[in-house]
Amino acid sequence: MSSGSIKNINIVLLGAPGAGKGTQAEILVNEYGLLHVSTGDMLRSAIKEGTETGLKAREYMDRGELVPDEVVCSLVMDRMSREDAEGGVILDGFPRTRNQAEVLDASLKAEERKLDKVLYVAVSDDVVIERLSGRRVCPNNCKVYHVTNMPPEKEGVCDVCGEKLLLREDDKPETVKNRLEVYKKSTRDLVDYYRDKGLLAEVNGDLEARKLFEEIDALFRAEGFIDDDTQ
Ligand code: AP5
C-alpha cells in the first residue's frame, strides 16, 4: 500500500478531540512527506519552554477551553510562512473556529496558495472517551500510544526514548467532557462551512488507524494528489 509523495497540497484534519487526527497526521507525514502543523503540539511545546504564549495558553488548555484566536492564529501563520511549509502542510487542530477558518483562507489567498481538502474524521462520543482515557503520551513527544489499541512494546514506557509514559493533563475525564462540549459548540460548524465550499471529505474515524489511512489514501489518489514513486 501507498508510497508516493504529495507536493503543494494543503490539508486540514478536522474532528473531535481524540478522533485520531494526530495519529493519521503522523502516518500521512511518513507516507507522503508533508509537514505536520499541530496547534496542540505547538502550544504544549510553548508551555514546556515557558514562553509568554505558553503561559497564556496553559490556563485555557487545562480547562479544555479554546486558546484565544489571536494567539493561535499568530502561531500558525508564523509557522506557515517558513520555507519548509511552502511544499504543503497538514493542519491538525486548526482551524477550530469560524474566525480561525477565515484568517486561514485570507492568509493562504494573500500568498496565492489554497486549501485543497478538509478531512473530517467522524467518530462517536463513545469512541472519543475510550480513546482519550486510554491515550498515553511520551514526555519527549516521541509518539502517542493507547493502552490497548496501540500499546508500547514495554508497558508504560516509550519505545523510542525509554521515558515513562504519561496521561495528558487534559485527558482527565472532567476535562474531556468539557473539550467535547467546546468542540460541539465552536468547531463542529466548520464541517458545514467547508462542505459549502466543496472542500470537505468525511472519513470513518471509527476504523482502525491503518484501515483509515487506506481510506484516505484512496481518496487522495482519486483527487490526483499523489505522485506515485512506484510507477
Ligand atoms: P489538541 O492537541 O489539538 O487536541 P484535540 O483536538 O483535542 O485532539 P487530540 O490531540 O486530543 O486528539 P487526536 O484527534 O489528535 O487523537 P490522537 O491521534 O491523539 O488541542 C489541545 C488543546 O489545545 C485544546 O483543547 C485547546 O485548548 C488548545 N488548542 C489547540 N488548537 C487550538 C486552536 N486551533 N484554537 C484554540 N485552541 C486550540 O488519538 C487519540 C488516542 O486514540 C491515542 O491514544 C491513539 O493511539 C488512539 N487512536 C488514534 N487513532 C486510532 C484508531 N483509528 N483506532 C484506534 N485507536 C486510535
Side-chain angles (χ1 to χ4, degrees), residues 15-24 38-41 43-44 57 60-62 64-69 72 76 92-97 100 130-132 134-136 144-147 149-150 168 170-171 179 205-210 212:
K21 304 180 295 296
T23 302
Q24 283 309 309
S38 156
T39 39
D41 286 350
L43 291 166
R44 280 184 289 276
Y60 295 95
M61 292 175 76
D62 283 353
E65 301 287 339
L66 294 184
V67 174
D69 284 351
V72 179
V76 174
D92 162 11
F94 182 92
R96 257 175 154 101
T97 63
Q100 291 180 14
E130 185 270 330
R131 287 194 183 160
L132 294 183
R135 172 162 60 185
R136 296 294 179 271
V144 173
Y145 301 86
H146 187 281
V147 286
N149 302 342
M150 296 175 200
R168 222 168 83 176
D170 59 351
D171 281 349
R179 283 166 66 200
D206 288 349
L207 290 174
E208 178 272 319
R210 198 67 207 175
L212 174 55

Side-chain angles (χ1 to χ4, degrees), residues 90-107:
I90 301 177
L91 287 167
D92 162 11
F94 182 92
R96 257 175 154 101
T97 63
R98 177 71 176 253
N99 180 42
Q100 291 180 14
E102 288 170 355
V103 169
L104 177 65
D105 289 345
S107 147

Side-chain angles (χ1 to χ4, degrees), residues 163-179:
E163 282 285 340
K164 191 167 175 273
L165 299 177
L166 307 171
L167 183 71
R168 222 168 83 176
E169 197 55 43
D170 59 351
D171 281 349
K172 293 182 177 149
E174 58 288 4
T175 317
V176 167
K177 197 165 159 265
N178 194 34
R179 283 166 66 200

Side-chain angles (χ1 to χ4, degrees), residues 14-207:
L14 183 65
K21 304 180 295 296
T23 302
Q24 283 309 309
E26 193 186 317
I27 301 177
L28 294 170
V29 166
N30 289 334
E31 294 285 345
Y32 307 133
L34 284 167
L35 179 77
H36 181 198
V37 176
S38 156
T39 39
D41 286 350
M42 287 195 283
L43 291 166
R44 280 184 289 276
S45 295
I47 291 175
K48 207 169 167 187
E49 288 158 17
T51 66
E52 202 183 315
T53 300
L55 288 174
K56 262 192 233 163
R58 179 168 211 151
E59 53 174 312
Y60 295 95
M61 292 175 76
D62 283 353
R63 292 198 305 264
E65 301 287 339
L66 294 184
V67 174
D69 284 351
E70 61 275 16
V71 176
V72 179
C73 287
S74 134
L75 267 185
V76 174
M77 296 316 134
D78 177 56
R79 186 66 193 89
M80 288 196 62
S81 67
R82 292 195 224 153
E83 208 178 324
D84 61 351
E86 282 170 13
V89 293
I90 301 177
L91 287 167
D92 162 11
F94 182 92
R96 257 175 154 101
T97 63
R98 177 71 176 253
N99 180 42
Q100 291 180 14
E102 288 170 355
V103 169
L104 177 65
D105 289 345
S107 147
L108 288 171
K109 197 168 170 204
E111 292 166 22
E112 296 181 357
R113 293 160 81 183
K114 65 178 173 52
L115 198 53
D116 294 283
K117 204 76 199 157
V118 175
L119 290 178
Y120 168 45
V121 184
V123 283
S124 62
D125 284 4
D126 289 348
V127 167
V128 164
I129 289 160
E130 185 270 330
R131 287 194 183 160
L132 294 183
S133 59
R135 172 162 60 185
R136 296 294 179 271
V137 296
C138 165
N140 295 323
N141 211 13
C142 297
K143 232 175 136 182
V144 173
Y145 301 86
H146 187 281
V147 286
T148 51
N149 302 342
M150 296 175 200
E153 280 163 27
K154 189 173 162 209
E155 196 183 327
V157 172
C158 177
D159 295 345
V160 182
C161 70
E163 282 285 340
K164 191 167 175 273
L165 299 177
L166 307 171
L167 183 71
R168 222 168 83 176
E169 197 55 43
D170 59 351
D171 281 349
K172 293 182 177 149
E174 58 288 4
T175 317
V176 167
K177 197 165 159 265
N178 194 34
R179 283 166 66 200
L180 261 173
E181 278 166 20
V182 168
Y183 167 75
K184 287 173 186 168
K185 198 173 78 188
S186 308
T187 308
R188 205 167 48 179
D189 285 352
L190 291 181
V191 173
D192 289 334
Y193 175 82
Y194 285 121
R195 188 179 284 123
D196 291 347
K197 286 180 176 284
L199 288 173
L200 195 85
E202 180 170 332
V203 291
N204 181 1
D206 288 349
L207 290 174

